[in-house]
Amino acid sequence: MPPFAVAFDLDGTLIDNNQFHFITWQEFYRKRNRELSLEEYKTSFNGRTMTDCVKYVFQQPGMPAEEIEKYTNEKESLYREIYAAHIKPIPGLLSLLESLHQQGIPMVIATSGIQDNIDFLFAHIPIQHYFKRVIKGSDITHGKPHPEMYQLAAKELGLPAEKCIAFEDATVGIASAGGAGMKVIALTTTHTPEELDHADLVIKDYEGIQLQDLLQLINR
């Protein structure tokens, strides 16, 4: 049995793309003669499912699924168009994934994102083979910060949540993984270190992260 397992969020964790999500949401708002601040984005959008985001934008908790899909496609197709020329892995990610793979550490992705954006990631950065499964927003009933996403991740990884480490960038994601019982390492791609102080460890990127560091975190 492996000593631990790892779950990676996607946006802001595998790729540093939340600036582009923010820009896209701003454009979405401008088309509707509204404005979106960075603070509101961080609080009400980052880390949440598109269903939750769209319902928030229009303040319609009971919005029909077909309308949610229409607005989701509008926003996300624009995001992919804007971000395609800039997409790259966060520094150190590829080395870390290969190291974990060589040591037989199971890995999954646990993202609030949609399938089109997951496919977009893998088309530009071929890392799909490292992961047992990609758990996405449509696989769960309750989005982050509810722990369901990471409870499902632990089940897929085949280890108790206490033996799993989640890499996250969003405050709601930290709450989700922590609520499921995982150790959480937070990246400062979107929030300041102070805003992420409820994580077990805060890092800038994956440069310098060693297997021994992860073992020590699990054994705390």
Side-chain angles (χ1 to χ4, degrees):
M1 182 177 291
F4 66 92
V6 180
F8 289 87
D9 173 49
L10 194 160
D11 293 308
T13 305
L14 299 177
I15 47 179
D16 189 0
N17 61 337
N18 276 318
Q19 174 190 355
F20 295 90
H21 275 300
F22 174 53
I23 290 168
T24 310
W25 275 119
Q26 282 187 309
E27 181 60 26
F28 189 92
Y29 265 53
R30 273 194 291 270
K31 286 182 179 179
R32 290 155 179 89
N33 298 310
R34 296 168 59 186
E35 291 186 2
L36 176 67
S37 69
L38 180 58
E39 193 55 44
E40 185 177 4
Y41 170 77
K42 286 182 178 183
T43 303
S44 301
F45 291 80
N46 188 36
R48 300 182 188 273
T49 65
M50 274 302 295
T51 295
D52 287 344
C53 289
V54 171
K55 287 178 178 179
Y56 170 82
V57 170
F58 294 98
Q59 292 296 295
Q60 292 185 31
M63 179 180 281
E66 58 270 20
E67 278 196 65
I68 293 172
E69 184 178 7
K70 179 183 74 172
Y71 292 126
T72 294
N73 290 338
E74 177 189 344
K75 183 266 171 184
E76 297 294 29
S77 60
L78 178 59
Y79 152 74
R80 292 190 297 272
E81 181 184 324
I82 292 172
Y83 187 48
H86 305 276
I87 186 169
K88 60 184 178 181
I90 286 177
L93 173 68
L94 300 184
S95 296
L96 177 61
L97 291 177
E98 181 60 24
S99 175
L100 292 171
H101 175 69
Q102 291 292 334
Q103 295 298 321
I105 303 299
M107 293 177 277
V108 297
I109 294 174
T111 175
S112 299
I114 63 170
Q115 188 63 50
D116 285 348
N117 287 355
I118 295 164
D119 295 340
F120 172 74
L121 166 72
F122 291 145
H124 288 81
I125 306 173
I127 56 174
Q128 186 171 4
H129 62 285
Y130 288 118
F131 302 101
K132 289 185 67 178
R133 180 180 170 189
V134 180
I135 301 161
K136 55 187 182 296
S138 60
D139 294 324
I140 56 172
T141 304
H142 307 288
K144 302 172 185 178
H146 193 282
E148 181 184 2
M149 174 74 77
Y150 284 103
Q151 289 168 341
L152 181 56
K155 183 178 179 181
E156 192 67 34
L157 289 164
L159 288 176
E162 313 87 70
K163 290 291 185 181
C164 298
I165 296 171
F167 283 95
E168 266 286 352
D169 74 299
T171 54
V172 293
I174 295 169
S176 175
M182 293 187 180
K183 300 288 188 182
V184 188
I185 300 177
L187 286 92
T188 56
T189 51
T190 311
H191 293 273
T192 65
E194 292 74 25
E195 291 170 329
L196 301 171
D197 63 3
H198 50 308
D200 296 287
L201 179 66
V202 178
I203 60 175
K204 177 186 175 184
D205 55 34
Y206 299 103
E207 297 283 3
I209 292 289
Q210 303 291 327
L211 190 70
Q212 192 61 36
D213 301 322
L214 304 182
L215 279 168
Q216 288 177 357
L217 181 60
I218 280 291
N219 292 326
R220 272 188 196 173

